[in-house]
Amino acid sequence: MDVVPEALAELVHRAATTTPAHPGDLATVRRRWRARRRRRRAVLTSGLVALVALTGGAVPLLHGTPVDGPPAVVAGTSSPAPTPDRVAAQRLVITGTASFVPDGSDRPKVGLAAVPAAEVRPDGSVVSYRVPEGFELGAALPDGRLAGLVRRGVDRPRSPGANTDKVAIDLVLVEPGGRERRWRLQAPGERVGIVGADDRTVYLVRPSGVVVRDLSTGVEKVVLGSSVVGSDLIGPDARVTGGRIAIRSEATRRVCLIDVYDLAGGERRGRVETGPGCQFVLSPDGRSLAAVHRTRVDIREQRLGIWDVATGKQLADVPVGTVTRDPATAGMVYGLAWDDDRTVRAVWAQIPPGADRVYQVPEVMRIVSAATQ
């Protein structure tokens, strides 16, 4: 049968024209995909509108570069914490030896524990540093490192900076986290001290005067000779800041005289007179000097003052604390630094009356501030 009957062909043609299109054809699939996409956009838009209404507009972007959160802080380390929003012009690093009350056999120890090196940040938090045994703090570098001296072969130096025992003295640079670099610093019997530092250099005092030492090469250069200031300088008696050096030229039971010189040229810029027992530091711009000192009327009273270098005029004066006769509550200043060119901070620590244990300095410290108008 090669010929299809006409009646059968008509029946097949009629069935084909009346059968609906297959639901999976391409045109239908595309129409359904476009409809779903429109519905999803409508739902997402309405959800964002509701979220904006609930949060007052504080909606994070859902595309683009993500905003990283603060770095994680690893517990149990002595490295400096992340840099705070407000950074002080000078780092307030405190240091001090242990102070104990002479006790009998049946009496517990009372006093303050030693502070090898710790930084008091502008927000009042305290960060401890790992430093080598016998570390004598000389200066705090702006980049977070500490410069100091370590004496090898002696248990207790007779005086800060002195080398009367002819022991080896190392210049030690302590990085955040405790890593250190060392350099042999002195000739036998020579006096040496640290009076300042920046990220690339450290300022030393030697018999020849003030010496700047390059931290990368070790090359030293005299920037202010002893003949200019007329004295054999030593660390606690001088401080370098902002291209100037403050030198304690006279210290008696009644007065401290502090002269300020330019390092370049050695010209004297002014003289400041404070009470006895002064601890001092120049402002970042070198125009003001702050000092904690005792008063002439009551030598146990400690005060924080600010003076103008050019005129010697006192610009601020605030009480710090009183050194009591009881060694258990004597109190002392542990550090001094400028927040900016107008404001200075001092750390005073004193254990409370009736104490019966040894305190850590951060437990009992008090931060005293003074500012110029």
Side-chain angles (χ1 to χ4, degrees):
M1 291 183 54
D2 296 334
V3 179
V4 178
E6 185 177 346
L8 179 60
E10 178 65 22
L11 181 62
V12 171
H13 177 71
R14 188 180 305 156
T17 56
T18 57
T19 303
H22 190 274
D25 69 305
L26 182 60
T28 303
V29 170
R30 287 176 174 172
R31 285 196 301 271
R32 289 179 178 177
W33 176 79
R34 285 194 294 267
R36 290 194 191 99
R37 186 174 63 177
R38 286 194 296 269
R39 286 196 298 270
R40 283 198 298 267
R41 285 180 176 176
V43 172
L44 179 60
T45 302
S46 61
L48 286 175
V49 171
L51 181 59
V52 170
L54 291 173
T55 61
V59 181
L61 295 177
L62 301 180
H63 64 280
T65 304
V67 179
D68 295 331
V73 178
V74 181
T77 68
S78 61
S79 301
T83 303
D85 293 336
R86 184 169 66 89
V87 179
Q90 296 175 356
R91 297 167 56 209
L92 179 51
V93 179
I94 61 176
T95 183
T97 58
S99 174
F100 297 118
V101 178
D103 54 357
S105 58
D106 298 329
R107 184 179 175 184
K109 278 189 174 181
V110 177
L112 291 172
V115 184
E119 182 173 358
V120 180
R121 297 191 176 277
D123 61 3
S125 61
V126 180
V127 180
S128 297
Y129 285 79
R130 292 197 299 268
V131 295
E133 185 177 358
F135 182 80
E136 300 173 15
L137 177 66
L141 281 64
D143 62 6
R145 294 176 293 174
L146 302 178
L149 302 179
V150 172
R151 305 168 191 277
R152 293 185 282 114
V154 62
D155 294 330
R156 177 180 293 180
R158 298 179 184 178
S159 63
N163 190 24
T164 53
D165 295 318
K166 298 184 180 181
V167 298
I169 299 181
D170 292 340
L171 168 63
V172 182
L173 204 62
V174 180
E175 299 179 359
R179 187 177 178 181
E180 64 182 60
R181 296 177 62 192
R182 290 189 179 225
W183 298 267
R184 180 71 175 270
L185 200 59
Q186 99 302 334
E190 182 178 289
R191 290 166 61 86
V192 64
I194 299 175
V195 294
D198 55 38
D199 291 342
R200 295 180 298 176
T201 57
V202 60
Y203 291 91
L204 307 172
V205 286
R206 295 186 180 275
S208 57
V210 182
V211 176
V212 60
R213 180 187 180 98
D214 189 292
L215 291 174
S216 59
T217 64
V219 175
E220 296 187 359
K221 177 183 177 181
V222 177
V223 292
L224 190 65
S226 295
S227 59
V228 176
V229 297
S231 62
D232 182 13
L233 302 176
I234 200 60
D237 299 328
R239 303 307 304 172
V240 170
T241 305
R244 290 184 172 183
I245 182 170
I247 299 170
R248 183 164 48 197
S249 56
E250 182 178 342
T252 68
R253 296 185 63 180
R254 295 187 58 82
V255 69
C256 271
L257 296 181
I258 304 165
D259 291 318
V260 178
Y261 295 84
D262 282 336
L263 285 177
E267 183 179 356
R268 196 178 83 165
R269 291 300 182 179
R271 167 172 285 189
V272 170
E273 180 178 332
T274 78
C278 59
Q279 300 181 42
F280 57 90
V281 62
L282 281 168
S283 62
D285 61 9
R287 297 180 179 180
S288 302
L289 183 138
V292 176
H293 62 103
R294 300 193 301 268
T295 65
R296 297 183 179 89
V297 177
D298 183 357
I299 62 172
R300 294 184 297 140
E301 182 185 4
Q302 303 279 324
R303 301 189 72 86
L304 172 60
I306 299 176
W307 288 261
D308 179 78
V309 168
T311 64
K313 180 182 178 181
Q314 188 167 6
L315 306 175
D317 179 39
V318 297
V320 175
T322 301
V323 179
T324 65
R325 298 184 183 277
D326 184 357
T329 58
M332 65 177 292
V333 175
Y334 280 78
L336 181 67
W338 290 81
D339 275 354
D340 49 47
D341 289 322
R342 294 183 57 254
T343 307
V344 67
R345 292 183 298 155
V347 174
W348 170 266
Q350 188 170 20
I351 63 175
D356 59 358
R357 64 181 178 89
V358 176
Y359 291 80
Q360 301 295 322
V361 169
E363 291 184 84
V364 294
M365 74 176 187
R366 184 163 52 88
I367 301 174
V368 181
S369 298
T372 60
Q373 298 298 324

